[in-house]
């Protein structure tokens, strides 16, 4: 089953890392805050977790059904 991601708008510092790493799954909104494209479900599990871990603001949460995945 694929995972889905959510970006915490208040935590995102607009580094652009997720957008650069996975432009098919993350994009900037008009305020240059990242958001997912369709929950970033186009990424496989390992890739999505890697992108989330690389967020310098820890602003990307990853969910399996309704449960948040521990990214540590
Ligand atoms: S990597 Fe994190 S801080 Fe950078 S744009 Fe994406 S969500 Fe925002």
């Amino acid at each position: 089953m694929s995972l889905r991601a959510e970006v915490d708008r208040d935590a995102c510092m607009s580094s652009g890392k997720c957008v650069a790493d996975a432009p098919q799954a993350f994009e900037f909104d008009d305020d240059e805050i990242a958001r997912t494209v369709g929950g970033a479900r186009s990424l496989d599990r390992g890739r999505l977790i890697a992108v989330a871990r690389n967020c310098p603001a820890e602003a990307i949460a990853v969910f399996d059904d309704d449960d948040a995945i521990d990214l540590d």
Side-chain angles (χ1 to χ4, degrees):
M1 178 187 297
S2 66
L3 302 177
R4 71 179 167 83
E6 292 180 8
V7 174
D8 180 343
R9 285 185 56 85
D10 293 329
C12 175
M13 53 192 275
S14 306
S15 73
K17 193 147 184 36
C18 60
V19 178
D21 287 350
Q24 74 274 44
F26 293 88
E27 63 185 9
F28 278 133
D29 66 16
D30 291 341
D31 298 320
E32 295 205 1
I33 300 295
R35 65 186 176 198
T36 69
V37 178
R41 288 185 171 87
S42 60
L43 299 182
D44 67 31
R45 295 177 70 100
R47 183 86 184 108
L48 179 52
I49 289 171
V51 172
R53 281 182 175 149
N54 283 337
C55 171
E58 299 184 357
I60 302 173
V62 180
F63 297 88
D64 188 352
D65 292 328
D66 289 331
D67 299 322
I69 300 285
D70 186 358
L71 297 175
D72 293 334

